[in-house]
């Protein structure tokens, strides 16, 4: 699943490393990373597909404005990865298709 990325990750290496599971694959991340940054650093792209065309999408603005980073985090769909800090053993899965609206208003 991981792809080669055209950039080098800039991270504070003095932070403890954690393990999250991206689509059941263990990925080492740093404490303080956002989920979106962890997904990008792991090269796990695309992180979702659009409902209508199925076009691939990935985290884009990384500040909560574009909603391209929607992921299922610990069984909660439609979470903004850029606004969520990683936790050890977190489970992250990619979304595809229409977002279930009943989950938005929980």
């Amino acid at each position: 699943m991981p792809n080669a990325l055209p950039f080098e990750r800039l991270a504070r290496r003095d932070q403890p490393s954690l393990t999250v599971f991206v689509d059941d694959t263990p990925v080492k991340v740093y404490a303080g990373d956002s989920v979106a940054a962890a997904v990008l650093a792991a090269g796990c792209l695309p992180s979702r597909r659009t409902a209508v065309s199925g076009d691939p999408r990935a985290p884009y603005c990384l500040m909560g404005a574009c909603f391209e980073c929607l992921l299922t985090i610990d069984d909660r769909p439609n979470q903004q990865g850029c606004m969520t800090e990683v936790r050890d053993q977190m489970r992250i899965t990619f979304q595809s298709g229409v977002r279930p609206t009943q989950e938005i208003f929980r």
Side-chain angles (χ1 to χ4, degrees):
M1 171 174 40
N3 300 321
L5 296 175
F7 57 87
E8 181 181 337
R9 182 170 188 219
L10 301 176
R12 289 184 49 205
R13 306 256 187 249
D14 60 336
Q15 293 296 314
S17 66
L18 309 172
T19 300
V20 298
F21 295 88
V22 180
D23 272 350
D24 295 323
T25 301
V27 175
K28 289 286 186 192
V29 298
Y30 291 101
D33 279 352
S34 71
V35 170
V39 166
L40 285 171
C44 301
L45 300 174
S47 58
R48 74 177 188 93
R49 295 200 174 268
T50 61
V52 176
S53 66
D55 286 344
R57 294 288 191 249
Y60 181 68
C61 76
L62 299 176
M63 62 182 191
C66 74
F67 291 86
E68 294 294 350
C69 64
L70 292 179
L71 298 157
T72 298
I73 301 172
D74 290 334
D75 296 322
R76 293 198 63 217
N78 306 316
Q79 303 300 300
Q80 284 183 278
C82 69
M83 303 301 287
T84 306
E85 190 171 321
V86 293
R87 291 182 313 278
D88 197 36
Q89 305 300 304
M90 179 180 269
R91 298 211 169 264
I92 303 160
T93 53
F94 300 134
Q95 295 189 171
S96 185
V98 179
R99 300 182 297 164
T101 55
Q102 69 275 13
E103 295 295 331
I104 294 172
F105 301 106
R106 251 191 339 166

